[in-house]
Each structure stands twice: as C-alpha cells, then as structure tokens.
Amino acid sequence: MAGGGEQYEASASALGYMFQFAKALHMCTEQWMSAGMDWSVAVEAADDIEKHAGSVTDLLQLKQRAEGIRLTDTSEGLWKTLRIWAEAAKAGRIELAKTNLLLLTTAELPEGSVGFYLQHRDSQHRDEDRALELLRAARKASKATKGALPSCFAAFDRLDEGETRLQRTLISRIQVLGGTPDIADVRTAMLGLAAFAVGHEAAKAFLSRLEGWFYDRVIEQMRAPGGSPVTGTEFDQVLSDLQHQFRYDNLPIDRDITGMAPDVSEAEDKMFVRQLGLIGVGSERIGYAVRDYIRAFTQRSRWSDENLLRAGEIGEYERKLVEEWQSRFAEMAEDLGTEATEQEKKREAKLIYRWVDREARFQIRAGCDEVFVAKGSYHMLADELRVGWHPDFSARLMALLEPAGAR
C-alpha cells in the first residue's frame, strides 16, 4: 500500500491534470465569446496549454498550490518552468519574438520577488531587469546539489553560453499571474458561462456534457504525437449543437447512451420481452427492442436526475402514447371478433407492433426526434402492461405474475 506522501503526490498530480483540462476549456470558451474562429488550443503539446490566435502563440504553465503558498525566487515551481522554456528556446522549438510565456499560479507573489516584477505587461510593477538580477542572484546563492534545482539552473545558464544571449530575451516574454483562480473557481466561472448559454436550470447538465466532450477530445489529441488541437471552428460547432439540444423545444441525446449495445439475455424475464414472445417476434428484432428499451430508460432517467424535464412532462407524453395505441388495439380486437384463431391473433398483433416499430415517432418535444425515445418508451409501457400487442396480452401475462398457489 502506498504511503501517505505517495498518495498525496498522486492526488496532487491528478488534480494538476484536471486543472489543466478545466483551464483549457475555460480558455476555449473565452476565445469563442470574444475572438472569432481563428484560434486553437492544445493540452500537453508544447506546454501545459498551447494557444494560437492569429500569428501569436501563448504557452501556459499552470501551478495549483495550497492556499497561503508564496512563489519565491527559489521556488521549484518557478525554476522548473524556466527550465522548460529555456530548453525550448535554446533548441529553437519556440520563436520567442512571437510567443508569450505565461506562468499561471494560484500562489501569492511576494512584493519584490521575481514573480512580482514579471507580472502582466500592463502592470505598473513590471521590471524585467530587476527580475533577471534576482534570478541570477538566487541561482548564485543557492546551495542545492540534489533535486530539481541544479538541472534547472544549468538550463538557465546555457541560455547565455557562446554567442547567444537569450536570458534577457526569454525574460521579456514571460508574464507571471499570481493568485490565479484554482480549479474550483474556474469551474464556477464555467457554470456562469453555461448559464449564459442555456439558462441557470440547465447549466450543470450543459457543462457536464461540454466537459465530457472536451476531455475526450483532449485525450484523443494527447494520444497521438502532434495530435490536432481544438480549433475555434470545431469548438463553435460543438457548442452550437449543444445549445440546440438544450433549447426549450428540445432535450439532449447523449452519445454514451446512443452507443449502448446491451446483452439481450439480461432482459429475458422482462415483461416487454415476454410480450414480444407471445406474438412470435424473432430474436433479432427482440434484440433491437431491448436496445431501444435500455436507451430510452437510461436517457429518460438522466433527464429526470438532471431536472431537465418539466413537471408532469413524462406523464403527459406517456398518456399520448397510450391513447395512440388504444385506438389501434381496439380496432384490432373489433376486426378479430370473438372467434379468431391464435394464428389470426398473432398476425394482427404483429401489425400493431410493426406500427410501433416503423411508424410511431411521437416526440416528447418538437425538437427531440431521436427514434429510440418513442420506441423504447412503448416498450417501457409494455413492461408495465399498460400497452400490449397480443389481443389477450393482459390476461396471459397477469397470470404469470400470480403466485403459484393462487392459480
């Protein structure tokens, strides 16, 4: 079992990745609202977050620290960041003249520190010469021989080796933003943006789906070397589609639910499956019915859990489904009469079920046209014996529910 220190390190690392994802999504949303389509954002590419907007590149390092932590001139977080940028600049992997280097930290910037003098370029405290003096002094005064600092110092020193003099140029591109919002604050801000997009009641559900798409998309980008970043055009398409799903006349249909392929054998004892067995529906079509039932049940449950449904909406929807079925079922019973054979009953019952399978496309809301919602809802009603296909479905299946001694 891992010790307490190892568990803390693992938790901190995981939280760091979550912070990167959340901040990157927040940046995408801000760009979408203010900067048109000509931008892209990548995670763990050239840096924690890499943003391109027009001809300008922003490379961001994120440091989430415990409350009360200060970014001093010898902080490992500062020097590890400098090492990353120094090595990239020395190797020519970044073009400093067109690149902004941003260190976003939740830590405080003590007055008179390197971070204090490298605040935003519009800050009245910015003093690049003083910051460089402090870095050189901290490097010279340090007695560190182990850990991360010696290699960080060496990378910084190499910037001024030979004919190149890159230390000052590097410092001119760095901006340190202290007291930056942590992951909780970023998510609160995202909820506010989600409320702006779809309203307060649906904000959490909307944000959950946007985060799910974004995290999957970033993982896809990270898995492939040089994976494609999220572009402004792509983000606009996804966000617009999500907004459409959360309109007043629509409900979201979730990809994890549309991808469900349940095991039919797990539903053999369900009443709606027995209903289909009564009229001789084949195993393949029963499999499709189980799929529609599971998808509809899961999607409706999610809508309910997320408070996306209006009061009484499901009840009203089911009333319409039942009444549409009633007239057809009554017509079938009338046409069959009392002397119909079992073969005739099954034939007519299959026509009722064919209507559900091929034609019944009643929408819970005008914009929500996913087929499995109506078909699966009919199977949910069949499972409760509120609708059925065989003329004698109620009597036959109710008998199966009676205790053996009562028969």
Side-chain angles (χ1 to χ4, degrees), residues 52-156:
H52 294 274
S55 61
V56 178
T57 298
D58 289 348
L59 298 183
L60 288 84
Q61 279 278 318
L62 307 181
K63 305 296 180 184
Q64 181 162 265
R65 297 293 182 258
E67 188 174 351
I69 296 296
R70 290 151 46 101
L71 187 75
T72 66
D73 295 351
T74 54
S75 292
E76 281 197 3
L78 172 63
W79 280 97
K80 284 181 178 179
T81 297
L82 287 172
R83 176 186 178 181
I84 291 170
W85 290 336
E87 290 177 343
K90 186 70 172 177
R93 294 195 300 272
I94 57 177
E95 187 177 355
L96 289 177
K98 296 182 179 180
T99 305
N100 296 314
L101 304 174
L102 305 170
L103 171 56
L104 278 64
T105 177
T106 58
E108 301 174 17
L109 304 180
E111 185 172 349
S113 67
V114 171
F116 181 81
Y117 289 121
L118 289 181
Q119 292 183 75
H120 194 277
R121 292 194 181 98
D122 295 334
S123 169
Q124 60 181 345
H125 304 298
R126 187 171 178 88
D127 187 336
E128 296 168 8
D129 290 338
R130 181 60 179 148
L132 183 56
E133 289 176 9
L134 291 172
L135 283 172
R136 288 170 173 169
R139 185 259 180 278
K140 186 175 181 180
S142 176
K143 306 298 182 183
T145 57
K146 296 181 180 179
L149 285 177
S151 59
C152 296
F153 294 150
F156 190 65

Side-chain angles (χ1 to χ4, degrees), residues 47-350:
D47 221 317
D48 286 352
I49 301 175
E50 178 181 356
K51 184 185 80 174
H52 294 274
S55 61
V56 178
T57 298
D58 289 348
L59 298 183
L60 288 84
Q61 279 278 318
L62 307 181
K63 305 296 180 184
Q64 181 162 265
R65 297 293 182 258
E67 188 174 351
I69 296 296
R70 290 151 46 101
L71 187 75
T72 66
D73 295 351
T74 54
S75 292
E76 281 197 3
L78 172 63
W79 280 97
K80 284 181 178 179
T81 297
L82 287 172
R83 176 186 178 181
I84 291 170
W85 290 336
E87 290 177 343
K90 186 70 172 177
R93 294 195 300 272
I94 57 177
E95 187 177 355
L96 289 177
K98 296 182 179 180
T99 305
N100 296 314
L101 304 174
L102 305 170
L103 171 56
L104 278 64
T105 177
T106 58
E108 301 174 17
L109 304 180
E111 185 172 349
S113 67
V114 171
F116 181 81
Y117 289 121
L118 289 181
Q119 292 183 75
H120 194 277
R121 292 194 181 98
D122 295 334
S123 169
Q124 60 181 345
H125 304 298
R126 187 171 178 88
D127 187 336
E128 296 168 8
D129 290 338
R130 181 60 179 148
L132 183 56
E133 289 176 9
L134 291 172
L135 283 172
R136 288 170 173 169
R139 185 259 180 278
K140 186 175 181 180
S142 176
K143 306 298 182 183
T145 57
K146 296 181 180 179
L149 285 177
S151 59
C152 296
F153 294 150
F156 190 65
D157 290 343
R158 283 193 291 271
L159 285 176
D160 273 11
E161 287 180 351
E163 296 181 2
T164 61
R165 291 291 183 266
L166 290 177
Q167 283 185 358
R168 188 173 298 279
T169 304
L170 180 73
I171 293 303
S172 71
R173 306 309 301 170
I174 295 175
Q175 298 175 69
V176 180
L177 283 69
T180 193
D182 62 14
I183 187 171
D185 294 329
V186 169
R187 198 158 192 278
T188 297
M190 284 299 304
L191 275 173
L193 293 171
F196 174 79
V198 297
H200 289 282
E201 291 184 357
K204 286 185 178 180
F206 176 87
L207 179 56
S208 175
R209 286 163 176 80
L210 182 60
E211 287 176 332
W213 167 79
F214 186 74
Y215 293 175
D216 286 345
R217 177 64 177 79
V218 168
I219 289 170
E220 175 188 327
Q221 170 239 304
M222 291 170 61
R223 288 178 63 184
S228 59
V230 176
T231 66
T233 300
E234 179 186 10
F235 193 77
D236 178 66
Q237 291 172 344
V238 171
L239 206 61
S240 297
D241 179 62
L242 266 180
Q243 283 183 297
H244 175 77
Q245 292 186 50
F246 278 83
R247 288 190 331 193
Y248 188 78
D249 66 345
N250 204 352
L251 283 165
I253 298 295
D254 297 312
R255 288 188 301 170
D256 63 319
I257 292 176
T258 59
M260 283 182 165
D263 184 351
V264 176
S265 64
E266 296 179 2
E268 289 177 349
D269 293 333
K270 298 292 290 184
M271 199 58 69
F272 80 93
V273 173
R274 292 176 187 251
Q275 288 241 42
L276 297 173
L278 274 181
I279 62 174
V281 172
S283 60
E284 186 175 359
R285 292 177 69 203
I286 288 177
Y288 297 149
V290 171
R291 178 196 64 192
D292 291 336
Y293 171 90
I294 294 295
R295 289 178 180 178
F297 182 89
T298 307
Q299 188 68 79
R300 284 172 44 166
S301 297
R302 187 173 294 176
W303 289 338
S304 179
D305 291 342
E306 293 177 330
N307 297 315
L308 296 178
L309 297 168
R310 300 162 196 150
E313 187 169 18
I314 286 291
E316 181 63 15
Y317 179 58
E318 291 184 341
R319 178 192 65 77
K320 293 177 181 178
L321 296 181
V322 170
E323 290 183 358
E324 287 289 340
W325 164 85
Q326 282 175 334
S327 60
R328 288 168 173 78
F329 190 79
E331 182 180 355
M332 176 186 69
E334 186 178 288
D335 290 345
L336 284 170
T338 58
E339 303 300 324
T341 65
E342 181 64 16
Q343 184 177 2
E344 290 171 329
K345 290 179 179 180
K346 285 186 176 181
R347 184 184 65 244
E348 294 300 314
K350 283 184 176 181

